[in-house]
Amino acid sequence: MFIDKAKITVKAGSGGNGMSSFRREKFVPFGGPDGGNGGHGGSVILVADPNKLTLYDFRYKPLWRAEDGEPGAGSLKDGKSGVDLYIQVPVGTQVYRIAGGELIADLVEPDSQVVMARGGRGGKGNAWFKTSTNQAPEYHQPGEEGEAGKFRLLLKLIANVGLVGFPNAGKSTLIRCINRILFPQN
């Protein structure tokens, strides 16, 4: 089935929280803070794919979500960053923001990309806040939320064939019959 319009909701991944922990070992009396940083959230990116011909993939899946970042851990271990979500769309797709109606991108070149929603930054662990005057900080930073938004996708079409003829010669009737055969309505 050929679909040339779609509405999607995208949500980037949130950043992981920083960790608040202290080094505790048997023969290390003053270990100090060793909380790691949280990982960054994944972003949502649209990619123009020359092998795609329709927006059919978005008809039954309107929500697209990237992976969240993992929280930090003790022993100065940083959390794993979330994986970016790449969404393939046909070449010639226009992206509009639903809230304002503004054109975000026009993907006319193959393999061109646009970032729809950026992932949130990961929070800092308590080891990051250690200074000469504050050698044992007990606080950490939470991760930031990822961006979210609702978008409208439109596929620009270019005709490969044109019909030329006199008025009332049946050009529109011929096109209507061909469309009825190629794209039957359910």
Side-chain angles (χ1 to χ4, degrees):
M1 182 181 292
F2 183 76
I3 305 288
D4 63 345
K5 297 179 198 172
K7 290 183 182 178
I8 62 171
T9 303
V10 296
K11 171 80 171 82
S14 300
N17 294 332
M19 180 70 172
S20 181
S21 74
F22 291 90
R23 182 176 175 202
R24 301 283 189 229
E25 293 182 27
K26 186 173 183 180
F27 296 108
V28 182
F30 300 106
D34 70 344
N37 302 330
H40 299 296
S43 299
V44 179
I45 303 168
L46 284 184
V47 180
D49 185 6
N51 298 323
K52 289 253 183 216
L53 301 175
T54 180
L55 296 173
Y56 183 73
D57 297 340
F58 304 102
R59 182 175 180 124
Y60 298 109
K61 187 176 179 188
L63 177 63
W64 296 80
R65 185 179 170 89
E67 193 175 273
D68 291 337
E70 293 183 2
S75 301
L76 297 174
K77 293 180 184 174
D78 290 344
K80 181 181 172 187
S81 292
V83 178
D84 291 339
L85 176 64
Y86 290 93
I87 304 172
Q88 277 83 24
V89 295
V91 175
T93 302
Q94 291 181 327
V95 182
Y96 291 92
R97 188 179 308 275
I98 289 182
E102 60 186 305
L103 178 67
I104 302 296
D106 191 3
L107 303 172
V108 294
E109 297 292 325
D111 299 323
S112 58
Q113 299 181 358
V114 62
V115 178
M116 303 290 289
R118 296 198 185 280
R121 287 188 307 175
K124 303 292 184 189
N126 68 337
W128 194 82
F129 295 107
K130 180 180 174 183
T131 62
S132 62
T133 57
N134 185 8
Q135 294 186 2
E138 295 183 5
Y139 49 87
H140 62 277
Q141 231 179 17
E144 293 180 359
E145 283 288 319
E147 295 177 354
K150 294 184 179 191
F151 299 94
R152 186 168 42 107
L153 305 178
L154 292 177
L155 181 59
K156 294 189 297 186
L157 302 175
I158 298 174
N160 293 330
V161 178
L163 290 177
V164 179
F166 290 110
N168 296 332
K171 298 181 296 291
S172 298
T173 305
L174 177 66
I175 291 174
R176 200 173 312 125
C177 291
I178 292 172
N179 280 339
R180 203 174 300 140
I181 293 169
L182 293 178
F183 307 109
Q185 298 296 328
N186 292 337

